[in-house]
Amino acid sequence: MNKRIVGAMMTALIVIVVIVWSFPFFELISASFKSPADFFSSSFLPEHPTTENFAEIFSDPKTGVMLRNSLIIVTITTIVSVLLGTLSGYALARLGLRPWVIGAVIFVLLFFRFYPRIAMVIPFFVMMRDWGLFDTPFAVVLGHLSITIPFATWLMLIAFRGLPNEIDEAGAIDGATLPQRFLHLTLPMVGSSMATAGVLTAVLSWNEFLIAQSLTRSNNPVLSTGVASFITDAGVKYGSMAALSLIICLPIVIFALLMQRHYVAGMTMGAVKG
Amino acid sequence: MTTGRSRRRAASPLTTRPDRFFLWVCLAPALLAVIALQVYPLANASLLSFREWSLTNSTEPGDFIGWANYAKVLADPVFWGAARTSLIITVCGVALQLVFGTGLAALLRKGRALHRTARAILLLPMVIAPVAAANIWRLMFNSRSGSVNAMLASVGVTGPEWLADPFWSIVAIIVVDTWQWTPFVMLVVSSAMLSIPQELVEAASVDGAGRWRAFRSVELPMLTGAFALVVTFRSLDSLLQLDTVYTLTQGGPGYSSYTLTYYLYALGLRNFEISSSAAGSWLFMIIVAVIIVMMFRLDRASREVSS
């Protein structure tokens, strides 16, 4: 009896926590349907609901450019990172490097993930200007690749190192060459890790702000820089700010829920392999 | 820190030359990309930090001026203020995330449908763009229409002008960081909890230890590795991030919510003091390196204690 009461209280607690933690999302949805006047009242729901904010966002040609640029950047970054990361992760796992070399490689790969990125952004800005790529989506692609290639390599290196050798050795005895074994025996076993690398790369690239903000200007904004550019505090632009924020959130939320298994696997990798 | 301890040795040593050639061909594209996109810009940054270059005066870098850029940044009170703010935000934010994240992981540890659904919903804040999260909280913190002050008003408290106040704007940044990244702590701690053998916990409760005591004296010590990991990851990411401050407060009011990354960003890409910003980012790099080394030490110490 006592146990059932405790169970019911736990369930109630969980429901409350979930509602409290997701409340800001409801505020976002509500605000995106508010009219300018509603931002002067403290009512949670819009008093004069309107789709005006979305109409305004989509009638602005900039929004199309942002969407297009973000999609281009995410697609190229993800494909190239997974491809190069898989190849290099495989090479590093199979080159028969000494353990301390592998340790050093892993340290460098993690260092690229964690050092102050602002240090790289300043020279990158100069580099892109000199290469004539400044203010194009390709500058942002190169900027993202500088983070995601080492990251994908790290993930894939760990995946390849975790594979049993027996299958590969059996293939070698049957006379298959290394490229053949790589394609037909090894690669199929790391499909799920490749998906993990792809999902994490895509999420990072879609959400990334510092590099995109530093390497583009008004000609080629991406979604994240567009979302961050509502710096007017006049209270007038809140509606469109909410609408555009909703537009950048919605695809990634759906994507993350669909790919939840891979996303969680990637995010908790350190804890599991540690 | 996380992966160097893999037990398995690398694949059987290769003997044939074509095999080695194939592997180097596999490695080459990524290696070249990392050299061109990471090593080269970083080397460039260290060179720039010793030259004179303000983009407002000249389109090309000027003369070498030794340590002058470093001295300039170190003499700037805004730099030190930003370092202090960064530290406060990181320490407070990570501590809150650790407490809430562990609590949520403990609450939602079972495989039941309710728990799985709750975990899936709770991880949503961490998948959205930090700039979007900051915008959401600009709505929440809005002193007229935002829900935060409306809720405070309903219990009779007059909420502050969150983003226009030097103290409360820092609190706001910590709140946003905590909202967004507590789910990360929850995920990592959950997966570490799942790897604890259930027999141990059950044995403890058979021995008469209460639920709380079993958690505290059996499970908690086994989670130190996971804690060290989340503290490291979260501290570094929180210290380095620009997005929340840029969107939420623009460093304001005044310089009060400048963080290190925001300071360097504004210096380099708004005031175009390219070389000073490069020097500052190397100073920042040293701070981060010191933190990484300290974390390594802490991690090793905690492992020795728990084993």
Side-chain angles (χ1 to χ4, degrees), chain B residues 193-237:
Chain B
M193 275 181 178
L194 286 177
S195 65
I196 295 175
Q198 270 309 298
E199 302 83 65
L200 272 181
V201 186
E202 275 157 25
S205 38
V206 169
D207 287 349
R211 195 72 198 80
W212 166 244
R213 273 216 47 208
F215 176 72
R216 209 190 56 190
S217 48
V218 179
E219 289 186 85
L220 224 45
M222 299 187 80
L223 294 174
T224 39
F227 288 145
L229 179 104
V230 289
V231 168
T232 311
F233 274 38
R234 281 305 311 138
S235 308
L236 292 170
D237 273 345

Side-chain angles (χ1 to χ4, degrees), chain B residues 18-271:
Chain B
D19 282 357
R20 289 199 146 266
F21 179 72
F22 170 70
L23 290 176
W24 281 106
V25 169
C26 285
L27 187 59
L31 197 61
L32 289 177
V34 167
I35 290 172
L37 302 177
Q38 282 283 8
V39 179
Y40 174 72
L42 282 178
N44 214 339
S46 59
L47 279 181
L48 280 179
S49 72
F50 293 107
R51 304 178 79 160
E52 172 156 40
W53 191 14
S54 167
L55 208 57
T56 45
N57 299 333
S58 149
T59 54
E60 293 306 320
D63 297 333
F64 281 89
I65 51 168
W67 297 92
N69 289 319
Y70 289 88
K72 197 171 128 195
V73 172
L74 285 174
D76 187 351
V78 182
F79 173 79
W80 293 105
R84 188 170 150 267
T85 309
S86 286
L87 206 66
I88 293 173
I89 292 173
T90 301
V91 170
C92 298
V94 173
L96 288 172
Q97 290 155 35
L98 207 58
V99 172
F100 288 149
T102 309
L104 288 178
L107 190 64
L108 302 172
R109 56 183 318 165
K110 306 249 168 59
R112 285 165 49 198
L114 173 72
H115 293 205
R116 276 194 320 247
T117 315
R119 274 203 299 258
I121 298 173
L122 284 174
L123 72 80
L124 292 182
M126 73 185 272
V127 307
I128 64 167
V131 286
N135 273 352
I136 291 177
W137 283 91
R138 275 172 81 188
L139 299 165
M140 296 279 291
F141 283 130
N142 186 310
S143 51
R144 221 166 320 180
S145 65
S147 291
V148 174
N149 279 3
M151 278 176 215
L152 288 175
S154 72
V155 292
V157 178
T158 310
E161 279 279 348
W162 287 90
L163 303 178
D165 180 278
F167 174 76
W168 292 109
S169 60
I170 302 229
V171 174
I173 294 168
I174 295 171
V175 168
V176 178
D177 206 50
T178 303
W179 178 69
Q180 203 170 14
W181 296 109
T182 294
F184 172 71
V185 180
M186 175 190 79
L187 282 186
V188 174
V189 175
S190 288
S191 79
M193 275 181 178
L194 286 177
S195 65
I196 295 175
Q198 270 309 298
E199 302 83 65
L200 272 181
V201 186
E202 275 157 25
S205 38
V206 169
D207 287 349
R211 195 72 198 80
W212 166 244
R213 273 216 47 208
F215 176 72
R216 209 190 56 190
S217 48
V218 179
E219 289 186 85
L220 224 45
M222 299 187 80
L223 294 174
T224 39
F227 288 145
L229 179 104
V230 289
V231 168
T232 311
F233 274 38
R234 281 305 311 138
S235 308
L236 292 170
D237 273 345
S238 164
L239 211 52
L240 300 185
Q241 67 101 13
L242 170 82
D243 317 16
T244 313
V245 176
Y246 183 96
T247 317
L248 208 58
T249 66
Q250 293 270 307
Y255 293 113
S256 63
S257 65
Y258 264 57
T259 59
L260 276 175
T261 305
Y262 190 80
Y263 169 77
L264 295 170
Y265 171 84
L267 190 66
L269 293 155
R270 194 169 297 158
N271 305 342

Side-chain angles (χ1 to χ4, degrees), chain A:
Chain A
M1 200 57 210
N2 199 7
K3 227 174 176 178
R4 276 176 66 185
I5 296 172
V6 172
M9 275 166 65
M10 286 299 245
T11 305
L13 183 61
I14 291 169
V15 172
I16 291 169
V17 166
V18 169
I19 290 172
V20 167
W21 217 268
S22 5
F23 183 80
F25 285 112
F26 298 119
E27 174 106 359
L28 174 69
I29 296 167
S30 163
S32 66
F33 292 103
K34 281 184 179 175
S35 61
D38 292 339
F39 287 101
F40 291 96
S41 102
S42 65
S43 142
F44 169 67
L45 290 172
E47 282 165 351
H48 314 90
T50 170
T51 54
E52 194 60 28
N53 299 317
F54 292 96
E56 195 189 315
I57 288 285
F58 281 111
S59 67
D60 185 347
K62 278 261 160 62
T63 310
V65 176
M66 287 177 200
L67 266 169
R68 188 203 66 191
N69 283 345
S70 281
L71 283 172
I72 292 177
I73 292 166
V74 168
T75 311
I76 303 181
T77 305
T78 307
I79 293 173
V80 174
S81 304
V82 173
L83 192 70
L84 296 196
T86 304
L87 289 174
S88 59
Y90 178 71
L92 288 170
R94 288 303 162 100
L95 268 169
L97 301 171
R98 287 163 210 281
W100 73 266
V101 180
I102 289 281
V105 167
I106 287 173
F107 182 83
V108 170
L109 292 175
L110 281 177
F111 174 75
F112 284 147
R113 158 86 176 71
F114 279 119
Y115 74 87
R117 212 156 286 150
I118 186 82
M120 168 277 243
V121 161
I122 302 285
F124 225 85
F125 163 77
V126 180
M127 228 161 86
M128 290 304 124
R129 194 199 59 170
D130 294 347
W131 294 0
L133 287 175
F134 183 71
D135 204 5
T136 68
F138 302 104
V140 183
V141 168
L142 289 177
H144 287 179
L145 284 177
S146 76
I147 308 166
T148 54
I149 290 176
F151 181 68
T153 301
W154 172 68
L155 236 138
M156 295 311 296
L157 170 60
I158 289 163
F160 283 118
R161 273 162 65 89
L163 293 180
N165 284 329
E166 287 76 16
I167 300 173
D168 190 64
E169 279 161 11
I173 292 167
D174 288 345
T177 63
L178 188 66
Q180 283 170 340
R181 269 141 55 204
F182 172 60
L183 270 180
H184 300 297
L185 296 177
T186 315
L187 215 46
M189 290 194 283
V190 294
S192 139
S193 296
M194 286 171 74
T196 296
V199 169
L200 291 188
T201 303
V203 172
L204 183 147
S205 181
W206 180 264
N207 290 342
E208 201 283 333
F209 170 72
L210 170 60
I211 292 172
Q213 172 72 18
S214 312
L215 301 181
T216 60
R217 284 291 179 271
S218 47
N219 287 339
N220 274 302
V222 304
L223 272 177
S224 66
T225 63
V227 163
S229 69
F230 288 93
I231 44 182
T232 155
D233 275 320
V236 190
K237 284 271 195 179
Y238 275 111
S240 10
M241 177 186 103
L244 193 64
S245 300
L246 195 60
I247 289 168
I248 193 180
C249 289
L250 212 53
I252 209 72
V253 161
I254 294 168
F255 181 73
L257 285 177
L258 290 176
M259 297 285 162
Q260 200 194 341
R261 194 167 61 86
H262 293 297
Y263 182 76
V264 172
M267 279 308 202
T268 56
M269 222 173 88
V272 181
K273 307 272 172 184

